[in-house]
Amino acid sequence: MGFLAGEYDVIVIGAGHAGVEAGLASARKGAKTLMLSINLDMVAFMPCNPSVGGPAKGIVVREIDALGGEMGKNIDKTYIQMRMLNTGKGPAVRALRAQADKFAYQHEMKKTIEQTENLALQQGLVERLIVEDGQCKGVITQTGAEYKAKAVVIASGTFLRGEIIIGDLKYSSGPNNQQPSIKLSDHLLELGFDLIRFKTGTPPRVNSRSVDYSKTEVQPGDEEPRAFSYETSKYITEQIPCWLTYTSEETHQIIDENLHRSPMYSGMVKGTGPRYCPSIEDKVVRFHDKPRHQIFLEPEGKDTEEVYVQGLSTSLPEDVQVKMLASIPGLEKAEMMRSGYAIEYDAVVPTQLWPTLETKQIANLYTAGQINGTSGYEEAAGQGLMAGMNAAARALGQKEIVLDRSQGYIGVLIDDLVTKGTNEPYRLLTSRAEYRLLLRHDNADLRLTKIGYEAGLISEERYQRFLEKEQLIEEEKQRLATTIIKPSKEVQQMIEEAGGSSLKDGIRGADLLKRPEMTYGHIAQVIPSEIELSEEIVEQVEIQIKYEGYIEKSLQQVERMKKMDDKKIPANIDYDDIHGLAMEARMKLKDVRPLSVGQASRISGVNPADVSILLVYLEQGRIARIN
């Protein structure tokens, strides 16, 4: 018999990267929040790669920070290495990546949670939801404890009916040999949810003392201090390098000879794996012509000898893993401390969610992270933040927030999931964003701080600093747009030294800066600003002026899509009543139930002709109402 153990505004199930952001966002909004984890020693645990950021993902971490989330602050306090990627490319694809001290990251996040007002952290395994009249009213744990709530967020990661697979060994388990969650998965099926089976994998870990680093290439961090969070002012100066090596012909031969023992090819693995993070056996089969693949040796922290062998993700039997390691330069005598494994788990088909991440079947129930079919800590954290924010808004009677595709990668991620669904673990890529010139690493605060402030997650002090920054950028852009640079001897020499063609007449500072060889530093030499501007402000002024034409085109595109998104579709629309719709479009529209014509146009299987028919139908309905 159950017993009432507590009453809350919001309950978060899970304390991985989605769960911690959901719980913190909810509590910081003022909602009384409970976060339940199967094991409190696993809060914000990194079962896979001990890193944060990278292409697209690094921009998500900046967006999380701009909205008032924790991931950026936490990694800034606990990284062992920080690098800016793609520095030789344009600003749209630059991204920050940090190597994490896996244990320090966990402990720091747990400490932050424990010290947050309105947030209770408890160990408990949730087995059922309390559902009454189509609404989620709380949860029931394995011990029979009942917790009531106005909203619930499920952030269960890869624990739902988790199974670990190594060779022909398969056993029930969450990641890193943790207890799995089986009954909650069964309960979701009972409630009518469609579940999908996915898989992910990890590589072996080796003892650093057994690695011959002389046969590898050092990968140091950047000397220039960098941070994910806009609030970070103290930087870690002592960094630990990573190391690069490669697989060999012998490695590939070992894999080829043992493919019949791979659970991926023997049929033991039923779940779909991530296409953009394949196992080593998958890479060798798919890219048979490549003589070698990159392997990065990544330390797991300052106080451990464990090294993560990035690029060698595998579920081959343990004896084959030992042979593979020994065939890689530098790892000939490597001692394997943990073997690689695949893990299969249940996920919810994400088209069952509204763009707020609330489920369509059950009101006040939200899902976030890998349960929604994504891979990656950053994707999970971004969803967790939005789900926590919206669950708290629901509980407190406030307005929920949906980011659109032009506002952030988080908006792209959630719109892709709820509109298109996914048939494999979804990973964010810059190519998924049609407005990627607007969604840059450098401008996440300009895009999202106001939203974070209005949601109650950004402090007044931080917001005022942000407004000041915004004003200084605009004032400097205005100054350069109105100040004329005359073709003096000094100016002509400066342009010539930069490799540009000399001036015939005077030119506005902004127009000179638009030349590819010119930087803000060049312009400041001849028309210096009266006030000292920070690097951040200078960077914004330069990017916004140099890319003005491209940015303007993107904004026009956004405006066109916004008009489509502003055309709302009534909740009670009957798609069977719309003549001329293709059968596939009709089925997809009934399944996804888009909220706007814009969202309908992004559903795969709904073509432009179907959108035109839908628009005419809605317009006729409007005319009928007017008459």
Side-chain angles (χ1 to χ4, degrees):
M1 189 67 186
F3 61 97
L4 183 61
E7 295 191 41
Y8 294 86
D9 292 319
V10 174
I11 293 171
V12 178
I13 302 169
H17 303 282
V20 296
E21 294 292 352
L24 288 166
S26 171
R28 286 167 177 169
K29 272 182 73 67
K32 187 185 176 192
T33 307
L34 171 66
M35 192 188 296
L36 287 163
S37 170
I38 291 176
N39 182 353
L40 290 193
D41 300 329
M42 296 290 284
V43 170
F45 181 69
M46 294 180 164
C48 208
N49 197 347
S51 73
V52 166
K57 292 164 174 278
I59 301 172
V60 170
V61 182
R62 295 279 275 184
E63 291 177 357
I64 289 166
D65 184 72
L67 288 164
E70 197 61 30
M71 184 175 250
K73 291 188 188 70
N74 203 61
I75 188 65
D76 285 351
K77 289 187 266 185
T78 57
Y79 67 83
I80 55 175
Q81 187 193 96
M82 185 82 82
R83 294 177 77 182
M84 180 67 83
L85 308 179
N86 301 328
T87 49
K89 296 181 181 176
V93 290
R94 283 177 210 152
L96 204 51
R97 183 181 187 274
Q99 205 58 43
D101 185 318
K102 170 173 169 170
F103 308 102
Y105 186 92
Q106 260 185 284
H107 296 150
E108 190 60 39
M109 190 67 91
K110 184 166 181 271
K111 186 167 90 176
T112 301
I113 290 162
E114 288 168 348
Q115 293 176 351
T116 297
E117 291 291 318
N118 302 319
L119 184 55
L121 176 64
Q122 273 180 243
Q123 191 159 291
L125 173 58
V126 173
E127 293 193 334
R128 294 183 72 78
L129 304 173
I130 300 168
V131 178
E132 295 167 13
D133 305 322
Q135 296 191 352
C136 190
K137 300 280 182 80
V139 304
I140 304 170
T141 68
Q142 188 182 38
T143 58
E146 290 185 14
Y147 297 92
K148 296 284 177 68
K150 294 171 189 166
V152 172
V153 180
I154 306 179
S156 50
T158 60
F159 282 80
L160 288 186
R161 278 204 304 214
E163 288 183 306
I164 280 181
I165 304 157
I166 307 167
D168 56 6
L169 172 69
K170 186 174 193 174
Y171 58 94
S172 182
S173 174
N176 205 42
N177 285 326
Q178 291 297 305
Q179 184 181 355
S181 173
I182 293 164
K183 289 192 176 172
L184 182 58
S185 207
D186 294 337
H187 184 52
L188 290 173
L189 285 170
E190 255 175 63
L191 292 169
F193 284 95
D194 286 335
L195 301 184
I196 191 168
R197 197 84 174 143
F198 279 165
K199 95 159 180 78
T200 186
T202 74
R205 273 71 157 183
V206 298
N207 188 320
S208 180
R209 290 167 60 236
S210 65
V211 176
D212 182 353
Y213 288 108
S214 68
K215 294 183 180 176
T216 68
E217 296 167 39
V218 67
Q219 305 282 300
D222 291 350
E223 285 180 25
E224 189 183 328
R226 301 190 188 277
F228 277 103
S229 174
Y230 289 92
E231 293 196 272
T232 296
S233 54
K234 286 183 184 167
Y235 300 92
I236 293 167
T237 49
E238 279 184 46
Q239 298 191 59
I240 296 174
C242 296
W243 306 84
L244 172 64
T245 182
Y246 296 88
T247 57
S248 64
E249 278 183 36
E250 191 193 341
T251 319
H252 297 198
Q253 195 179 334
I254 291 164
I255 292 166
D256 281 337
E257 286 169 1
N258 288 281
L259 269 182
H260 63 286
R261 299 180 67 197
S262 163
M264 281 184 59
Y265 293 94
S266 68
M268 187 184 279
V269 169
K270 299 285 189 285
T272 309
R275 193 183 353 157
Y276 300 101
C277 187
S279 65
I280 188 64
E281 50 267 43
D282 208 15
K283 280 193 273 194
V284 167
V285 169
R286 276 164 54 189
F287 309 107
H288 217 275
D289 52 328
K290 279 193 89 171
R292 61 183 196 168
H293 294 281
Q294 285 186 327
I295 300 291
F296 288 96
L297 304 177
E298 300 176 341
E300 294 224 317
K302 292 192 297 287
D303 302 317
T304 176
E305 294 297 331
E306 273 192 84
V307 172
Y308 184 91
V309 187
Q310 160 81 317
L312 206 72
S313 179
T314 184
S315 55
L316 279 161
E318 217 167 77
D319 60 301
V320 181
Q321 293 188 36
V322 171
K323 283 180 193 159
M324 273 199 306
L325 287 169
S327 70
I328 294 168
L331 301 182
E332 293 89 348
K333 295 182 177 169
E335 293 168 16
M336 186 165 78
M337 294 176 76
R338 302 184 203 224
S339 56
Y341 63 85
I343 183 166
E344 280 191 344
Y345 56 94
D346 285 346
V348 166
V349 173
T351 49
Q352 297 169 104
L353 307 173
W354 297 116
T356 56
L357 295 180
E358 183 185 21
T359 68
K360 292 171 182 173
Q361 281 97 319
I362 295 169
N364 309 334
L365 176 65
Y366 298 74
T367 58
Q370 279 181 281
I371 187 176
N372 289 345
T374 57
S375 70
Y377 309 144
E378 303 82 0
E379 288 92 333
Q383 292 171 71
L385 177 70
M386 299 310 294
M389 212 189 277
N390 287 334
R394 174 64 58 86
L396 300 171
Q398 298 171 357
K399 188 171 176 277
E400 292 183 76
I401 292 170
V402 173
L403 296 183
D404 71 41
R405 298 179 72 89
S406 64
Q407 289 176 303
Y409 272 98
I410 296 172
V412 172
L413 161 71
I414 293 173
D415 185 62
D416 275 355
L417 289 173
V418 305
T419 305
K420 300 173 183 173
T422 186
N423 53 12
E424 64 184 9
Y426 177 103
R427 179 182 179 174
L428 258 178
L429 308 162
T430 51
S431 59
R432 295 195 194 268
E434 58 274 54
Y435 311 119
R436 67 173 183 244
L437 188 56
L438 302 178
L439 309 181
R440 305 185 308 273
H441 162 89
D442 61 81
N443 71 349
D445 61 335
L446 299 175
R447 292 184 275 121
L448 298 170
T449 304
K450 188 167 189 269
I451 295 170
Y453 174 69
E454 286 170 356
L457 298 179
I458 295 287
S459 69
E460 188 63 44
E461 184 196 351
R462 177 172 173 180
Y463 189 57
Q464 288 309 319
R465 279 202 314 272
F466 161 74
L467 291 178
E468 193 182 321
K469 174 183 171 178
E470 215 175 25
Q471 188 181 343
L472 287 170
I473 292 165
E474 286 311 311
E475 285 172 0
E476 184 61 1
K477 279 167 62 185
Q478 193 56 35
R479 185 181 80 86
L480 296 186
T482 53
T483 307
I484 304 291
I485 296 173
K486 292 182 176 152
S488 66
K489 189 179 173 188
E490 178 202 2
V491 168
Q492 301 288 37
Q493 188 183 343
M494 181 267 291
I495 293 170
E496 195 182 314
E497 283 172 5
S501 52
S502 57
L503 297 179
K504 303 275 189 296
D505 297 301
I507 187 172
R508 287 189 183 91
D511 291 334
L512 185 57
L513 182 52
K514 281 179 184 173
R515 290 187 175 189
E517 72 277 2
M518 288 287 123
T519 65
Y520 178 88
H522 290 123
I523 310 297
Q525 280 177 42
V526 290
I527 49 164
S529 169
E530 287 177 15
I531 54 171
E532 197 178 329
L533 297 172
S534 70
E535 274 181 46
E536 257 186 288
I537 289 165
V538 165
E539 180 184 41
Q540 279 313 306
V541 170
E542 188 164 325
I543 289 172
Q544 288 182 31
I545 289 175
K546 273 194 181 296
Y547 293 90
E548 186 182 26
Y550 298 106
I551 290 169
E552 194 51 49
K553 271 186 187 165
S554 291
L555 290 170
Q556 285 167 8
Q557 214 185 334
V558 169
E559 207 43 53
R560 282 196 295 274
M561 185 46 80
K562 192 173 183 317
K563 283 178 182 162
M564 296 277 272
D565 281 326
D566 285 344
K567 290 188 167 77
K568 300 300 177 197
I569 297 174
N572 60 352
I573 190 167
D574 182 358
Y575 289 107
D576 290 326
D577 197 32
I578 308 176
H579 302 297
L581 278 181
M583 185 58 77
E584 186 187 5
R586 199 185 304 275
M587 283 167 61
K588 289 287 180 76
L589 288 163
K590 282 157 82 170
D591 182 37
V592 175
R593 290 150 65 195
L595 300 173
S596 68
V597 175
Q599 191 188 356
S601 72
R602 295 189 293 271
I603 299 171
S604 45
V606 176
N607 62 40
D610 299 312
V611 174
S612 300
I613 290 164
L614 179 59
L615 276 168
V616 169
Y617 177 84
L618 292 172
E619 197 60 31
Q620 284 172 344
R622 198 173 71 82
I623 292 161
R625 282 197 300 278
I626 291 166
N627 294 338

